Amino acid sequence: MDAVRVALLREVLAGTEWLRSTRRFAGTLRTSVTRHHGGLLLIGSTGYEPWHLAAHLDDEAAWSGLPELSPTLVRHRVPPGVPAHLSVGLGRLEAVRRGETLLVVAAESPGEGLLERVHDARRGGATVLALDGAPEDAGAELAALAHETLAAPAAPGPCASTSTDLDLDTVQHLVSAAAGENSLPVAHGRRRFRDRLARLADQLTAPPPPRW
């Protein structure tokens, strides 16, 4: 989903609880990483790797001037020969320090192994946030461990009051887009708006981020 489609989706969702919820969650994420300056760790469930969210947060970090938003993607399985930034395995969670933020994206039941690691990370002082796209109540245990959870549809489903279908991927786009907002003084509002329009145009013609 490109930036223009995200902007149009946000217009459609204006005034709905979905837009408020994604912005609130993104605000918590931004505040957590900027307040503690401890780094952002991003991990998915066993069968779902949120590399697309990692790429968008990386973009938002550069755009907003908040390098803390650039995540470290933690992977359940690290293939041989991948670049260093894509070779961070589960052992990284054992080294979590106080002040770090762990964002868990679950498109399925997270499983006991991941839940144990998330529990240990929280005990180690990390702020735990969860984007829960697991079916029904499969993510209840993850929600209990997280300081804040945003529940997203596991499969596309209509948003109340609109004809727009929402799913976990769409919600991730909304969160990443909101995470870099409000980082500049109000006095720069007009310039920021023009810059964002220019950025939208650039993103429409740009190739996928090579880093990811």
Side-chain angles (χ1 to χ4, degrees):
M1 180 180 293
D2 60 56
V4 169
R5 290 178 61 193
V6 172
L8 292 174
L9 177 60
R10 291 169 72 172
E11 287 187 14
V12 171
L13 296 176
T16 68
E17 184 55 36
W18 268 115
L19 192 57
R20 289 189 290 268
S21 295
T22 54
R23 281 182 164 155
R24 182 167 56 246
F25 186 84
T28 299
L29 170 62
R30 183 177 61 246
T31 300
S32 176
V33 298
T34 56
R35 177 180 297 167
H36 301 298
H37 301 284
L40 173 60
L41 304 176
L42 175 64
I43 188 170
S45 46
T46 305
Y48 183 86
E49 194 164 69
W51 64 268
H52 206 174
L53 177 59
H56 282 292
L57 285 172
D58 207 35
D59 286 344
E60 290 296 336
W63 164 251
S64 64
L66 296 175
E68 301 90 345
L69 279 175
S70 184
T72 296
L73 181 63
V74 180
R75 312 180 72 180
H76 290 262
R77 293 176 295 276
V78 179
V82 297
H85 70 284
L86 296 177
S87 62
V88 180
L90 291 173
R92 176 62 179 84
L93 298 186
E94 298 173 4
V96 166
R97 305 186 307 274
R98 180 171 299 278
E100 290 185 314
T101 300
L102 175 61
L103 174 56
V104 184
V105 181
E108 59 196 358
S109 176
E112 292 186 6
L114 178 57
L115 289 172
E116 289 178 2
R117 293 176 185 275
V118 172
H119 179 261
D120 290 344
R122 175 160 178 160
R123 288 182 58 189
T127 298
V128 177
L129 305 176
L131 271 173
D132 177 18
E136 298 179 356
D137 294 329
E141 291 179 275
L142 176 60
L145 290 174
H147 293 89
E148 184 162 342
T149 300
L150 177 61
C159 169
S161 304
T162 77
S163 59
T164 302
D165 283 348
L166 292 176
D167 59 12
L168 179 60
D169 286 341
T170 304
V171 171
Q172 288 180 75
H173 279 91
L174 292 170
V175 168
S176 61
E181 290 181 340
N182 301 326
S183 58
L184 294 179
V186 175
H188 296 290
R190 291 186 179 180
R191 185 180 68 187
R192 177 175 172 81
F193 178 71
R194 290 195 299 268
D195 290 345
R196 287 191 73 88
L197 287 179
R199 177 182 176 232
L200 292 179
D202 290 342
Q203 286 187 337
L204 284 176
T205 57
R211 172 177 164 84
W212 304 99

